[in-house]
């Protein structure tokens, strides 16, 4: 019986895997072009160019850019060809590398071969010359003759290839893009001068590639598994795009003028595809990029039957869609492993996740166009994934930026391609939903940046052909940010949680919190991004120069570059592919919920095990709204080593700005003399040595810090930070390296290049019973701070990890905030009773505005109270516009003063159902208690 059970399990596993197979069309059209368009679409393109200004301008500019070179080619066919970066004289076939650096080449082919690139890292002090300055047929033992950008005047000089970065690839790709565009112009106009230009370049390159072999790593290292024929990384075989498109549009000319070369071209393309499949990384964005290159090659090849080895279009499509190799997973396997099926979030940082969904949707468009096959219905999670990208949005229309990312605009291309799929396959509901999403993204961008945004910026020939017949229906309205995002969203597969309140870019608040789970992640514990006044004021640090430079390894990917807590100066673990996520202990509202929730508070309580020091870390962060236009953040961060022996815990907070001042709680400036303590020499991480202008003061008292950001042609922006004092606390101010995540247009260049001022709060000993408690409020010159006073409190007999804060506001409201790590004991403060991990009581003119029990059992004051039947309930009682509202995630006993109940029978109604109260006397006051079931945010008819 045991053997039968094992056989059944194996059989079920096999059937499960087979169920993921995507059917490949038995035959592909013999006609070319196919990739971007086809001959039947030419009249539509002609009409578009004739009637649309942008299309006509794109077309005319592309022809103009070619004209000089095409005309010269008629008189001198060697000029442009000789600029290709080839082994012109040596005709080398075998390339040798040492890790990520070029070493040398050997062997000899019958024709010049394609030169390999210089290094895996693109960073170099040299640059590509202008085409006219490139040495013709360059193949010299002195190296390559490139521009030295590090010297005055940037002279041309000889340099060894190993110091040239990826210049070789760049030059070849630039030239072959001209060949690609010439082939397109030939297809459209029939002018053979364009075909001759394209053919001579294409033929030279492809014959040269045909004789090239896979590079050999003399170090026998990881790079051997990554290399392509032309680049150190198969994902940077970008020239596949230009070569396949050129071949596709030039196909008729090639058949007529070079029929004997067609086998060489096909074999070269197939060798290229085989190596891309063989090498790479299977579990992340690499797999998709590699698969797209292979798909482009597959779709310009003919049917399997056209080749003696039986490896044509269907073979290579099957390799990427259904077959799983060591370093190239099938798309179905990749989707299963990469996407969270509930959230639609990809398991990499946001920038790379956007690349992945764009690549997936390019597959959908390719299959729709070339094979007339609706791939999207075979991979339904992709629609959820496109919708899920909206959750990355801050209220200014830019994405969050945890891990290896930048603050960039959300691409509308994936949603556009879902609309294209819907239009082609007559799916009206899908078209309406994703049209609303495209228009929403454009609308958010326009509102945040004060100018309209129309969509795709690219106006090259490839974009012109790709989107020639695409328009959004005018009768479908734009969606709103609220339609596509939620006040709280959590995706466990990347350990990322975002809270949002409000949609006006200047008045909205947002918190992004991330751990380190998935790919392209940093070692950062529970890291924070804070939004305010239209900007990520407390930004992520970015990647520094590149992944391969020391500043990434030593600083940008490490704890001190982030808004987090470092234990004993040494908190660390592997970055890039990381497995250190946080746990969500509690939050409100639930992830993804958009309706039936209390509108004034969000919160999340997170736990993280810091592995280097075996330390418990718990971070509770909350947005508290005080009006539609004002509000603040509260951050309570506890940290302690499990086994004791804590030296110190460092709370890092970086904020954009040119200035940072530190005052006491009364507003008096504190004197911070220069010091030199945060240092590798003192046993801290290397990253501490990147901090400079270090000053400090030891104080047990509360402090106020103000970061000032002067923006050109707009209001100055401030982040007002208050921090609760504690014994054995030292406050440092430092400057830290600039954030490279803000360098893509979210702020002016002069702001992006500034160092980030930072507060480092060092708690000597443990920081669990002396947690870091901070309140942050963004403000500006025209929208001053609304918080007027902040004080801390500790009730008698409170748990030793208790944190209490009272925040007073300009509008007369006051919030009393309670926090503990476990909620195991009751806290009594003045008239308040609390048992839980987080709660807020808000009052105005001594009257209750709301009681918010974020997570716990009990919260009460002055005859108002809620008691849950467990220790893990979220509940709120709120007076709003002279009406009372209730929400609870679990059953609660609600207590109200009898005087506010108008019904003589001591009852009220909820959703038409009458709830009878039980009369009691509490502290000499008559109250009524009601047993209520769990319910969303609902009005009480008192």
């Amino acid at each position: 019986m045991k053997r039968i059970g094992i056989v059944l399990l194996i059989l079920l596993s096999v059937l499960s895997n087979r169920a993921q197979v995507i059917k490949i069309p038995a035959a592909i059209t013999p006609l070319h072009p196919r990739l971007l368009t086809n001959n039947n679409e030419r009249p539509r393109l002609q009409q578009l160019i004739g009637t649309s200004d942008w299309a006509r301008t794109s077309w005319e500019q592309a022809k103009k850019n070619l004209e000089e070179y095409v005309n010269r080619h008629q008189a001198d066919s060697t000029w442009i060809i000789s600029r290709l970066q080839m082994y012109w004289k040596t005709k080398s076939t075998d390339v040798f590398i040492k890790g990520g650096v070029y070493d040398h080449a050997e062997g000899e082919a019958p024709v010049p071969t394609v030169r390999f690139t210089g290094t895996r890292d693109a960073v170099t002090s040299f640059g590509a010359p202008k085409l006219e300055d490139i040495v013709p047929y360059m193949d010299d033992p002195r190296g390559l003759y490139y521009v030295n950008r590090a010297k005055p005047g940037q002279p041309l000089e000889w340099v060894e290839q190993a110091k040239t970065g990826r210049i070789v690839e760049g030059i070849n790709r630039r030239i072959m893009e001209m060949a690609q565009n010439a082939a397109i112009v030939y297809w459209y106009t029939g002018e053979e001068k364009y075909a001759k230009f394209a053919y001579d370049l294409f033929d030279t390159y492809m014959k040269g590639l045909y004789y090239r072999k896979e590079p050999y790593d003399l170090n026998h290292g990881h790079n051997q598994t990554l290399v392509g024929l032309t680049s150190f990384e198969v994902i940077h075989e970008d020239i596949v795009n230009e070569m396949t498109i050129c071949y596709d549009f030039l196909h008729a000319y090639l058949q007529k003028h070079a029929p004997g070369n067609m086998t060489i071209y096909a074999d070269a393309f197939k060798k290229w595809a085989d190596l891309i499949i063989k090498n790479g990384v299977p579990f992340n964005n690499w797999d998709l990029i590699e698969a797209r290159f292979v798909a482009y090659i597959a779709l310009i090849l003919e049917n399997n039957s056209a080749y003696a080895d039986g490896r044509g279009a269907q073979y290579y499509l099957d390799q990427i869609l259904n077959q799983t190799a060591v370093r190239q997973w099938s798309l179905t396997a990749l989707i299963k492993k990469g996407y969270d099926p509930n959230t639609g979030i990809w398991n990499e940082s946001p920038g790379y996740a956007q690349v992945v969904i764009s690549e997936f949707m390019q597959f959908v468009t390719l299959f729709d166009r070339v094979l007339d096959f609706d791939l999207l219905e075979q991979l339904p999670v992709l629609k959820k994934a496109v919708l899920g990208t909206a959750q990355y949005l801050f209220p200014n229309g830019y994405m969050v930026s945890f891990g290896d990312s930048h603050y960039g605009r959300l691409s509308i291309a994936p949603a556009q391609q879902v609309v294209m799929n819907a239009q082609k396959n007559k799916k009206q509901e899908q078209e309406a939903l994703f049209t609303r999403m495209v228009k929403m993204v454009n609308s958010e961008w326009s509102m945040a940046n004060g100018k309209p945004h129309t969509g795709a910026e690219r106006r090259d020939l490839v974009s012109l052909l790709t989107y020639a017949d695409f328009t959004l229906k005018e009768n479908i309205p734009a969606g709103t940010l609220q339609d596509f995002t939620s006040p709280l969203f959590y995706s466990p597969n990347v350990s990322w949680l975002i809270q949002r309140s409000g949609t006006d870019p200047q008045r909205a608040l947002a918190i992004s919190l991330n751990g380190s789970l998935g790919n392209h992640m940093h070692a950062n514990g529970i890291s924070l991004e804070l939004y305010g006044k239209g900007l990520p004021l407390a930004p992520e640090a970015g990647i520094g120069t590149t992944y391969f430079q020391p500043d990434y390894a030593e600083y940008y990917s490490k704890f001190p570059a982030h808004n987090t807590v470092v234990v004993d100066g040494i908190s660390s673990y592997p970055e890039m592919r990381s497995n250190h996520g946080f746990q969500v202990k509690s939050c409100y509202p639930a992830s993804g919920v958009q309706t039936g929730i209390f509108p004034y508070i969000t919160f999340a309580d997170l736990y993280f095990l810091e592995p280097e020091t075996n330390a418990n870390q718990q971070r509770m962060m909350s947005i508290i709204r005080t009006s539609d236009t004002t509000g603040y953040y509260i951050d309570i961060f506890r940290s302690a080593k499990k086994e004791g022996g804590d030296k110190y815990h460092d709370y890092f907070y970086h904020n954009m700005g040119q200035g940072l001042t530190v005052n006491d709680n009364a507003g008096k400036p504190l004197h911070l003399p220069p010091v030199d303590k945060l240092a590798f020499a003192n046993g801290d991480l290397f990253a501490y040595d990147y901090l400079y202008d270090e000053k400090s003061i030891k104080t047990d008292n509360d402090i106020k810090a103000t970061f000032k950001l002067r923006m050109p042609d707009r209001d100055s922006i401030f982040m007002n930070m208050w921090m609760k004092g504690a014994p054995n606390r030292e406050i440092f101010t430092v400057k830290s390296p600039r954030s490279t995540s803000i360098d893509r247009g979210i702020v002016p260049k002069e702001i992006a290049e500034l160092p980030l001022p930072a507060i480092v709060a060092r708690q000597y000993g443990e920081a669990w019973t002396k947690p870091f408690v901070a309140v942050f409020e963004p403000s500006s010159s025209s929208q001053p701070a609304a918080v007027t006073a902040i004080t801390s409190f500790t009730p008698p007999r409170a748990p030793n990890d208790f944190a209490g804060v009272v925040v007073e506001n300009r509008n007369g409201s006051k919030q009393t905030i309670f926090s503990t790590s476990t909620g195991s004991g009751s806290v009594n403060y003045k008239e308040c009773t609390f048992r839980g991990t987080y709660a807020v009581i808000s009052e105005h003119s001594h009257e209750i505005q709301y009681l918010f029990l974020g997570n716990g059992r009990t919260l009460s004051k002055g005859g108002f109270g809620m008691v849950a039947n467990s220790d893990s309930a979220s509940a709120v009682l709120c007076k709003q516009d002279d009406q009372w509202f209730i929400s609870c995630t679990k059953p609660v006993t609600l207590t109200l003063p009898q005087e506010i109940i108008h019904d003589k029978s001591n009852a009220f109604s909820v959703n038409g159902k009458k709830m009878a109260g039980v009369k009691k006397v509490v502290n000499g006051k008559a109250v009524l208690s009601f047993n209520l079931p769990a319910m969303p945010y609902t009005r009480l008819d008192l």
Side-chain angles (χ1 to χ4, degrees), residues 45 82 128 145 182 202 299 305 320 338 408 448 534 580 585 650 659 800 857:
L45 180 62
S82 69
Y145 199 60
F202 176 85
L299 291 173
S305 58
I320 57 176
H580 297 280
K585 292 172 63 68
D650 291 337
N800 62 4
R857 180 182 289 269

Side-chain angles (χ1 to χ4, degrees), residues 147-174:
V147 174
N148 189 336
R149 296 178 299 187
K151 288 186 176 181
Q154 299 191 348
L156 284 158
E157 58 184 45
W158 292 103
V159 56
E160 60 180 293
Q161 185 167 333
K163 296 181 179 179
T164 60
R166 298 178 57 205
I167 298 173
V168 168
E169 298 169 73
I171 293 173
N172 283 344
R173 194 175 182 201
R174 178 185 173 191

Side-chain angles (χ1 to χ4, degrees), residues 729-798:
R729 177 78 53 89
E730 186 168 7
I731 302 296
F732 295 82
T733 63
V734 298
K735 289 180 180 176
S736 62
R738 70 185 182 94
S739 166
T740 60
S741 66
I742 59 175
D743 62 359
R744 297 191 177 179
I746 193 170
V747 292
K749 183 179 180 181
E750 61 266 32
I751 301 297
E753 292 180 347
L754 291 172
L756 291 178
I759 288 282
V760 182
R762 173 165 285 185
Q763 181 63 48
Y764 291 96
E766 52 83 20
W768 197 269
T769 64
K770 297 180 283 292
F772 301 103
V773 181
V775 174
F776 297 92
E777 182 190 18
S779 64
S780 67
S781 301
S782 61
Q783 298 169 5
V787 173
T788 57
I790 305 174
T791 54
S792 58
F793 67 93
T794 303
R797 296 181 297 281

Side-chain angles (χ1 to χ4, degrees), residues 707-941:
F707 297 84
K708 182 177 182 180
L709 175 62
R710 295 185 299 276
M711 296 287 287
D713 303 320
R714 58 175 287 187
D715 283 351
S716 291
I717 297 173
F718 307 91
M719 180 60 87
N720 306 285
M721 174 186 181
W722 172 91
M723 177 168 275
K724 180 181 182 297
N728 301 314
R729 177 78 53 89
E730 186 168 7
I731 302 296
F732 295 82
T733 63
V734 298
K735 289 180 180 176
S736 62
R738 70 185 182 94
S739 166
T740 60
S741 66
I742 59 175
D743 62 359
R744 297 191 177 179
I746 193 170
V747 292
K749 183 179 180 181
E750 61 266 32
I751 301 297
E753 292 180 347
L754 291 172
L756 291 178
I759 288 282
V760 182
R762 173 165 285 185
Q763 181 63 48
Y764 291 96
E766 52 83 20
W768 197 269
T769 64
K770 297 180 283 292
F772 301 103
V773 181
V775 174
F776 297 92
E777 182 190 18
S779 64
S780 67
S781 301
S782 61
Q783 298 169 5
V787 173
T788 57
I790 305 174
T791 54
S792 58
F793 67 93
T794 303
R797 296 181 297 281
N800 62 4
D801 64 354
F802 175 83
V805 178
V806 176
V807 180
E808 299 176 57
N809 304 283
R810 197 172 59 245
N811 65 4
S813 69
K814 178 179 75 172
Q815 290 80 46
T816 304
I817 300 164
F818 305 81
S819 172
T820 67
S821 64
T822 62
S824 58
S826 293
V827 174
N828 297 295
Y829 176 65
K830 297 184 178 179
E831 298 181 61
C832 308
T833 300
F834 160 69
R835 178 175 172 176
T837 59
Y838 179 53
V840 182
I841 297 176
S842 185
E843 302 169 85
H844 191 281
S845 300
H846 304 291
E847 290 189 1
I848 295 291
Q849 287 183 304
Y850 60 78
L851 304 181
F852 177 81
L853 179 62
N855 180 67
R857 180 182 289 269
T858 304
L859 184 63
S860 65
K861 180 173 184 179
F864 296 89
M866 299 176 293
V867 178
N869 60 3
S870 78
D871 286 330
S872 58
S874 291
V876 63
L877 174 68
C878 177
K879 187 177 184 181
Q880 188 176 346
D881 299 326
D882 291 325
Q883 294 181 317
W884 288 91
F885 292 79
I886 184 76
S887 173
C888 47
T889 59
K890 295 185 177 179
V892 299
T893 298
L894 173 67
T895 301
L896 298 172
Q898 186 177 16
E899 63 198 47
I900 73 168
I901 306 296
H902 305 304
D903 191 293
K904 293 182 180 179
S905 62
N906 295 330
F908 61 74
S909 296
V910 181
N911 294 325
K913 183 178 180 180
K914 197 164 187 177
M915 311 294 293
V918 176
K919 187 175 180 180
K920 296 180 180 179
V921 176
V922 177
N923 295 328
K925 191 171 185 177
V927 299
L928 296 171
S929 61
F930 304 84
N931 293 322
L932 301 180
M935 65 180 69
Y937 195 58
T938 306
R939 183 170 62 86
L940 303 178
D941 294 320

Side-chain angles (χ1 to χ4, degrees), residues 114-182:
V114 174
R115 183 175 289 276
F116 194 68
T117 201
T119 58
R120 184 179 177 190
D121 190 355
V123 172
T124 173
S125 59
F126 287 83
K130 298 176 183 177
L131 286 180
E132 55 267 30
D133 292 335
I134 293 176
V135 174
Y137 301 112
M138 182 164 50
D139 191 3
D140 193 292
R142 290 174 291 179
L144 300 170
Y145 199 60
Y146 287 164
V147 174
N148 189 336
R149 296 178 299 187
K151 288 186 176 181
Q154 299 191 348
L156 284 158
E157 58 184 45
W158 292 103
V159 56
E160 60 180 293
Q161 185 167 333
K163 296 181 179 179
T164 60
R166 298 178 57 205
I167 298 173
V168 168
E169 298 169 73
I171 293 173
N172 283 344
R173 194 175 182 201
R174 178 185 173 191
I175 293 172
M176 293 315 302
E177 184 181 18
M178 295 166 63
Q180 164 202 276
N181 290 346

Side-chain angles (χ1 to χ4, degrees), residues 582-601:
F582 55 62
Q583 300 171 22
V584 178
K585 292 172 63 68
S586 58
C587 65
Y588 183 87
S591 175
V593 175
Q594 295 175 301
T595 59
I597 55 180
F598 178 54
Y600 299 124
I601 294 181

